[in-house]
Amino acid sequence: MASTGNRPARDFGLGLLALAVFGAIAPWIGLYPVFVMKALCFAMFACAFNLLLGFTGLLSFGHAAFFAAAGYAAGYALKVWGWSTLAGLGFAVVCAGMLGLVVGALAIRRQGIYFAMVTLALAQMVFFVFLQSRFTGGEDGLQGIPRGDLLGLIDLSNDLNLYFVILGVFLATLAGCYRIVHSPYGQVLKAIRENEPRALSLGYRVDRYKLLAFVLSATLCGVAGACEAIVFQLASLTNVEFVISGDVLLMTLVGGVGTLLGPVVGSFVLVAMESYLAQFGSWVTIIQGSIFLICVMAFRAGIVGEVIKFLQRRDDRSKARMAEGALPSST
Amino acid sequence: MEIFGIPLQAMLGQLLLGLVNGSFYAMLSLGLAVIFGLLNIINFSHGAMYMMGAYLAWMMMEYLGLGYWWSLAAAPIVVGAFGVLIERVLIRHVYKLDHLYGLLLTFGLALVIEGVYRDCFGVSGQPYGVPEALRGATNLGFMILPNYRAWVVVASLLVCFLTWFVIERTRIGSYLRAGTENPRLMQAFGVNVPRMVMLTYGFGVALAAMAGVLAAPIIQVSPLMGSNVIIVVFAVVVIGGMGSILGSILTGLALGLIEGLTRVFYPEASATVVFVIMALVLLLRPAGLFGRES
């Protein structure tokens, strides 16, 4: 295995490059930029969520709260305070991180299934707070958020300009996730996922690691949420509903829990599905539910997970064949 | 007569409404606790089963002309049978996996059920009349008591008490408790544990359906009624902890009452008060009021 030590890094680099190339040509091969931007925002959201579920083993059912909070914060800063786009984005990300700190500090006091229920309940509380607060515009939400420009150089009201900025933010977020997962800190998170009591007995302050993972995840959700609000120039209550927390969970599950590129694939699949099925109304819910059932019953590795498994099997087979071939020459 | 500037009549009315909601919370969290005890999964589709109970009552009235009392008897049986089927076909296969998969599976199930009902009946609520025998109100002197609401509280307390009695005081209940402690040993003693698990799921779901029928004349019967209530019930379960049957009943009732009181004194917070209490309990007593730290 020593010779394949830097293999994940190379694979990930290739994957990132492929995504960048695909992203750069996407508008010219008939993909509508706003659609791709939506998928990219949800991909960031799902990657942030996967940081928690896939790499720390914590199932949060309340990530919609961070996504939406960042959207509102960005919208308010841009629309009411008239901040620049970059400052609004930064403010939104900080807000999401702070909210993550509060929710995370409460939620990590319980484990497993209770953790999921606590995050769900706290997110529902955030929903009611946003519903009743004046700054969110209640049922109307914040509409007509100005997109602004990037450092006075690039006009973001142009879809294509904004598209490339969002693509850049997405690639940076993905690289950031890779960095976190493959750092010593990420290794500790994996240890906690695999066996929390053992990690505790080795002297790791498990609660602090979990809390930091939660805050990081919420912060990255904030990046996604703020971008989404800027793209659609809208921050509304729809994003706080727990259905969104379910959506991001499904994206991660379909793409592959605990793989870096899985959430990206999953979000593209589901955003595409939603936009094609929108005309069928409640059938979207039925199909999503069925996909949940299929994923849990028979497809737990997800798309990317299955591909990785397949590649590994092929690798093993070719190694075995090489060993066989080497046998006669050595005798 | 006034208390803190609030007319007594209005306050008692809200308290009664709180108690009614509390009885639903109690029945639902009781079902969740019973299922969790034996199956070790949180039944996310509990809200959907509650909604199915209410819809069965409505459909029996609409299509078959069968009244409230028929539905109260039949809906729990039908939904319970559906639960048994679901356990057999789906849930049984995830016991050996991480508990979170049980949550995901039942979440998907809830989406499917809710989607089907939304497709068939739309999102708008359907009215369901109060049964003949329980119409009207009784004047107690200090307040007017709507008969149906009083019946809901009495009926659900009775059901909760019966469930507690069966689990804590009878032979079947002793099997159930033993199965919660150590299913393998139970199996070794010759008890058919898989069948017990299946029936337990059916029973827990039947409780939810019964709560749905009880709720049908009070709230509008709509496909969304389940997901609205289930999140509050989750918070109730976190507050109470699922270790004790009596605990989950008491927590449900108490939180309903607190919600009712909040609606009197500070209506803006009535939707969030349960979640605030949950946060406080997590800070002060992380295992829950009646829970045991595992």
Side-chain angles (χ1 to χ4, degrees):
Chain A
M1 287 308 279
S3 62
T4 57
N6 61 351
R7 180 117 181 250
R10 202 196 61 199
D11 284 357
F12 179 74
L14 283 176
L16 204 62
L17 191 69
L19 276 176
V21 171
F22 176 73
I25 59 168
W28 285 276
I29 55 171
L31 286 171
Y32 182 49
V34 174
F35 164 79
V36 184
M37 281 194 277
K38 183 180 180 189
L40 287 176
C41 289
F42 273 96
M44 284 189 262
F45 187 18
C47 286
F49 175 82
N50 191 33
L51 209 54
L52 211 52
L53 176 64
F55 296 103
T56 322
L58 297 175
L59 171 59
S60 159
F61 243 104
H63 261 47
F66 313 124
F67 186 68
Y72 278 124
Y76 201 78
L78 290 175
K79 190 183 173 189
V80 182
W81 295 338
W83 285 16
S84 74
T85 309
L86 217 52
L89 189 70
F91 173 69
V93 171
V94 171
C95 283
M98 302 288 274
L99 187 62
L101 185 64
V102 175
V103 172
L106 284 169
I108 58 162
R109 295 176 74 88
R110 297 294 283 272
Q111 268 115 28
I113 284 168
Y114 281 104
F115 179 90
M117 289 196 286
V118 170
T119 46
L120 176 62
L122 290 174
Q124 190 70 1
M125 182 165 136
V126 171
F127 172 82
F128 283 115
V129 170
F130 283 165
L131 177 67
Q132 290 166 354
S133 300
R134 203 163 300 146
F135 72 91
T136 57
E139 303 268 0
D140 298 334
L142 293 173
Q143 295 174 0
I145 298 167
R147 281 180 181 174
D149 49 38
L150 193 66
L151 304 171
L153 296 171
I154 305 167
D155 176 22
L156 296 180
S157 57
N158 178 325
D159 274 351
L160 211 54
N161 288 352
L162 183 64
Y163 172 77
F164 281 102
V165 172
I166 299 279
L167 183 64
V169 173
F170 162 75
L171 293 173
T173 306
L174 201 58
C177 283
Y178 178 83
R179 207 51 217 103
I180 293 171
V181 169
H182 288 87
S183 67
Y185 168 71
Q187 300 299 320
V188 178
L189 289 186
K190 272 183 228 167
I192 294 172
R193 178 188 71 187
E194 295 303 323
N195 194 335
E196 188 172 331
R198 190 174 289 177
L200 195 64
S201 73
L202 285 172
Y204 289 109
R205 296 192 165 187
V206 169
D207 277 356
R208 288 195 186 177
Y209 280 94
K210 284 205 279 192
L211 183 58
L212 182 58
F214 201 95
V215 173
L216 282 172
S217 173
T219 309
L220 290 177
C221 279
V223 178
C227 287
E228 208 245 11
I230 292 170
V231 169
F232 289 98
Q233 303 183 278
L234 174 75
S236 73
L237 281 174
T238 331
N239 279 355
V240 209
E241 282 171 5
F242 87 96
V243 179
I244 297 288
S245 299
D247 280 353
V248 76
L249 175 55
L250 187 55
M251 286 169 188
T252 313
L253 206 58
V254 166
V257 178
T259 63
L260 273 164
L261 295 178
V264 180
V265 175
S267 63
F268 269 85
V269 169
L270 283 172
V271 170
M273 196 192 83
E274 262 169 49
S275 63
Y276 286 118
L277 290 179
Q279 49 185 331
F280 296 108
S282 46
W283 275 96
V284 179
T285 323
I286 301 177
I287 293 171
Q288 279 184 337
S290 314
I291 297 176
F292 254 109
L293 297 184
I294 294 166
C295 280
V296 172
M297 299 300 290
F299 194 57
R300 281 184 289 275
I303 298 171
V304 173
E306 291 291 345
V307 170
I308 290 176
K309 263 201 222 161
F310 172 76
L311 290 180
Q312 261 166 1
R313 265 200 304 269
R314 207 187 54 179
D315 254 25
D316 291 349
R317 231 177 293 142
S318 71
K319 255 183 224 150
R321 212 172 299 132
M322 260 162 65
E324 252 168 46
L327 215 58
S329 64
S330 67
T331 48
Chain B
M1 200 162 41
E2 289 187 359
I3 295 176
F4 304 124
I6 311 269
L8 183 66
Q9 185 74 52
M11 180 147 147
L12 287 174
Q14 288 298 343
L15 275 182
L16 180 66
L17 199 63
L19 204 58
V20 168
N21 277 334
S23 347
F24 296 143
Y25 296 161
M27 278 180 90
L28 290 172
S29 61
L30 177 63
L32 278 182
V34 171
I35 292 174
F36 182 74
L38 207 55
L39 281 73
N40 259 321
I41 65 160
I42 275 290
N43 185 27
F44 212 125
S45 50
H46 219 63
M49 305 290 185
Y50 163 79
M51 180 266 289
M52 279 174 79
Y55 257 105
L56 269 176
W58 179 81
M59 281 190 275
M60 282 173 74
M61 177 74 93
E62 191 77 6
Y63 303 132
L64 304 175
L66 291 173
Y68 177 80
W69 302 104
W70 285 104
S71 343
L72 197 60
I77 297 174
V78 174
V79 176
F82 177 69
V84 164
L85 184 75
I86 292 291
E87 199 277 341
R88 210 53 336 167
V89 178
L90 295 172
I91 301 176
R92 172 157 298 185
H93 303 282
V94 299
Y95 292 145
K96 52 188 185 301
L97 305 172
D98 195 318
H99 298 337
L100 294 178
Y101 282 110
L103 184 72
L104 297 181
L105 185 72
T106 48
F107 177 65
L109 202 60
L111 286 184
V112 172
I113 296 173
E114 210 181 281
V116 168
Y117 276 79
R118 254 164 68 181
D119 194 54
C120 294
F121 302 106
V123 282
S124 57
Q126 312 281 359
Y128 185 83
V130 173
E132 201 79 54
L134 295 170
R135 273 185 206 152
T138 313
N139 194 341
L140 296 180
F142 56 93
M143 74 175 291
I144 310 274
L145 180 69
N147 289 342
Y148 186 76
R149 295 194 173 171
W151 152 252
V152 168
V153 175
V154 172
S156 45
L157 282 182
L158 201 68
V159 170
C160 287
F161 173 76
L162 275 177
T163 310
W164 171 82
F165 185 83
V166 168
I167 293 176
E168 298 290 337
R169 293 284 183 273
T170 65
R171 182 166 272 272
I172 301 176
S174 72
Y175 285 174
L176 197 77
R177 279 177 288 137
T180 306
E181 291 289 326
N182 194 335
R184 273 198 183 171
L185 206 55
M186 284 296 285
Q187 189 120 31
F189 282 152
V191 176
N192 187 344
V193 173
R195 194 172 66 195
M196 197 167 78
V197 165
M198 182 179 82
L199 293 177
T200 303
Y201 187 76
F203 173 74
V205 162
L207 273 181
M210 186 173 254
V213 179
L214 286 173
I218 294 182
I219 55 176
Q220 296 243 310
V221 179
S222 106
L224 304 175
M225 63 189 269
S227 46
N228 288 338
V229 81
I230 193 68
I231 303 178
V232 181
V233 173
F234 277 180
V236 170
V237 161
V238 172
I239 294 169
M242 283 184 288
S244 123
I245 297 291
L246 214 52
S248 48
I249 300 174
L250 288 179
T251 320
L253 285 173
L255 284 165
L257 274 178
I258 292 172
E259 222 179 42
L261 272 180
T262 319
R263 211 171 288 124
V264 178
F265 291 108
Y266 189 55
E268 290 82 6
S270 62
T272 45
V273 65
V274 175
F275 305 122
V276 174
I277 293 175
M278 184 192 78
L280 287 177
V281 168
L282 283 173
L283 285 175
L284 302 174
R285 224 186 118 83
L289 297 179
F290 299 91
R292 286 164 295 181
E293 195 67 79
S294 56

